Amino acid sequence: MKLYAPNYYKDFHCIASACKHSCCVGWEIDIDKDSLSRYQNMTHPYGEIIRKHIEMQDDTACFALTQEERCPFLKENGLCDMILNLGEDSLCQICRDHPRFRNFFSDREEIGIGLCCEEAARLVLFQKEKTEIVLLSDDGEKEELWEEEEALLSLREKLFAILQDDTLPLSERADRMLQEVGAEPITDLHVWIKRLLGLEQLDVAWQKLLNQLNTQERTPRTLDLPLEKFLLYLLYRHLPNAEDESEIRATVRFACLGYLLIKTICEKTNTPIEEAARLFSSEIEYSEENTRTLLELLA
Ligand code: SF4
């Protein structure tokens, strides 16, 4: 099996105590089965502290958040008490992995970092080099891609090339990308904003931002590159999940809707692009229900 990632992936490091929107606040932390059994059988004295914070929700074990919605192990200084006592290997899978996401093909795994993390958003949106998908490791096992997977990956490569052709304005590149997959453009953004306001609400800051989109300013030209990176990120992350042509079209429209929305937010409010992208990611991408609803509406 091969492991691929975007070329910026290896530069990601969690900024822990310097993080303003820590993923250890406000998010449910489910515990995977292997970690749960490790915690249940832990003989280290800290095991008792860990077990005290585990609760069952339906059939899933998770760490009970404090009244302030903080992970019980998050210290006031922003550091993780479990890591301080037992090291990083003691974390459950979701904490070890976040903000990484993975997509699987028959011969490879692809890994990336999600924009809901402010440090990942900075890294993804402000890298200067062209985005490329690079091989990180290969265990030497010979596996073949299915024909459909090969077609999807080569389509994504083509879309990457269209988006990174900086001889054209970004809006034209986005239109070409839609044409390439035969998808309709997003014409009525105000209608989409209304629909977005009707989705599952996770962070009130996102709703506030959408409600502010009523003044007129131009996007500074300097935003073209981070917006291009945002589109590339959405394609890298979501296109592998498209199972047929209609889902491919919906996914490319999803990327264009995200692009138009973030561009409009930056034009009409003073929100920095990395904050707008972070909110989009945590509100839409990290709610399966919201992502599914939008993809259905865009199909
Ligand atoms: S959101 Fe990102 S930078 Fe912040 S604590 Fe989580 S992983 Fe670290």
Side-chain angles (χ1 to χ4, degrees):
M1 189 66 95
K2 302 178 187 74
L3 179 64
Y4 284 89
N7 44 350
Y8 51 76
Y9 174 79
K10 279 190 161 175
D11 297 329
F12 174 73
H13 300 285
C14 166
I15 53 171
S17 58
C19 181
K20 286 202 223 67
H21 302 95
S22 169
C23 52
C24 313
V25 180
W27 296 70
E28 297 289 340
I29 309 159
D30 291 348
I31 308 170
D32 56 288
K33 288 205 171 75
D34 288 350
S35 304
L36 182 62
S37 123
R38 199 157 36 82
Y39 296 147
Q40 280 164 339
N41 297 310
M42 194 176 271
T43 51
H44 189 288
Y46 199 79
E48 202 41 57
I49 299 174
I50 296 179
R51 289 190 284 275
K52 215 174 68 195
H53 291 300
I54 296 176
E55 69 174 16
M56 294 303 290
Q57 281 184 10
D58 300 321
D59 280 344
T60 311
C62 59
F63 288 124
L65 298 184
T66 66
Q67 279 197 333
E68 296 77 35
E69 302 261 296
R70 291 166 67 90
C71 169
F73 302 101
L74 179 63
K75 290 164 69 84
E76 277 313 312
N77 62 7
L79 296 177
C80 170
D81 199 50
M82 198 189 302
I83 296 183
L84 293 176
N85 278 278
L86 300 173
E88 278 199 34
D89 289 346
S90 61
L91 296 175
C92 62
Q93 202 216 336
I94 206 166
C95 292
R96 266 198 314 266
D97 246 22
H98 188 83
R100 293 164 187 83
F101 63 84
R102 295 162 203 275
N103 286 315
F104 295 91
F105 295 84
S106 354
D107 78 330
R108 71 190 63 189
E109 178 182 330
E110 289 187 346
I111 193 165
I113 43 173
L115 295 188
C116 69
C117 158
E118 63 183 51
E119 184 55 15
R122 264 192 293 274
L123 182 64
V124 173
L125 299 178
F126 298 127
Q127 33 133 2
K128 297 272 184 288
E129 295 82 39
K130 287 214 162 178
T131 300
E132 283 170 13
I133 309 305
V134 296
L135 181 66
L136 291 188
S137 64
D138 183 355
D139 65 9
E141 286 220 5
K142 284 253 172 294
E143 274 126 336
E144 298 286 317
L145 276 177
W146 297 343
E147 213 174 294
E148 298 83 358
E149 293 175 326
E150 218 168 304
L152 191 73
L153 288 176
S154 86
L155 171 68
R156 192 180 64 186
E157 216 175 295
K158 205 165 184 185
L159 299 179
F160 267 42
I162 292 173
L163 279 178
Q164 298 194 89
D165 172 7
D166 57 12
T167 59
L168 298 172
L170 185 58
S171 55
E172 206 172 305
R173 289 179 247 162
D175 286 347
R176 287 199 177 189
M177 180 175 77
L178 287 162
Q179 281 160 18
E180 182 65 37
V181 298
E184 295 291 316
I186 309 282
T187 45
D188 33 18
L189 192 60
H190 61 285
V191 175
W192 284 102
I193 291 170
K194 263 198 195 147
R195 286 178 182 150
L196 285 158
L197 283 165
L199 296 180
E200 183 192 15
Q201 186 176 332
L202 303 175
D203 188 337
V204 64
W206 175 246
Q207 316 291 318
K208 258 170 107 178
L209 211 49
L210 293 182
N211 278 316
Q212 273 177 43
L213 303 182
N214 53 10
T215 54
Q216 297 271 328
E217 274 171 43
R218 296 184 63 79
T219 317
R221 175 87 192 145
T222 49
L223 282 188
D224 265 13
L225 189 56
L227 283 168
E228 172 193 312
K229 299 296 182 189
F230 181 61
L231 274 162
L232 291 163
Y233 159 85
L234 291 174
L235 289 183
Y236 177 69
R237 179 166 192 160
H238 297 285
L239 209 52
N241 301 322
E243 289 185 353
D244 56 33
E245 286 191 3
S246 137
E247 288 187 11
I248 289 175
R249 283 195 294 275
T251 308
V252 174
R253 293 190 83 217
F254 174 79
C256 280
L257 174 65
Y259 151 68
L260 283 175
L261 200 59
I262 299 305
K263 176 174 176 288
T264 309
I265 287 172
C266 295
E267 276 174 356
K268 297 186 174 182
T269 74
N270 284 327
T271 312
I273 185 167
E274 64 275 29
E275 175 60 2
R278 186 192 67 76
L279 278 168
F280 173 89
S281 178
S282 56
E283 196 76 11
I284 308 294
E285 290 186 307
Y286 282 80
S287 159
E288 267 179 45
E289 184 187 322
N290 285 349
T291 305
R292 197 180 43 246
T293 305
L294 276 183
L295 286 171
E296 279 168 13
L297 288 167
L298 287 158

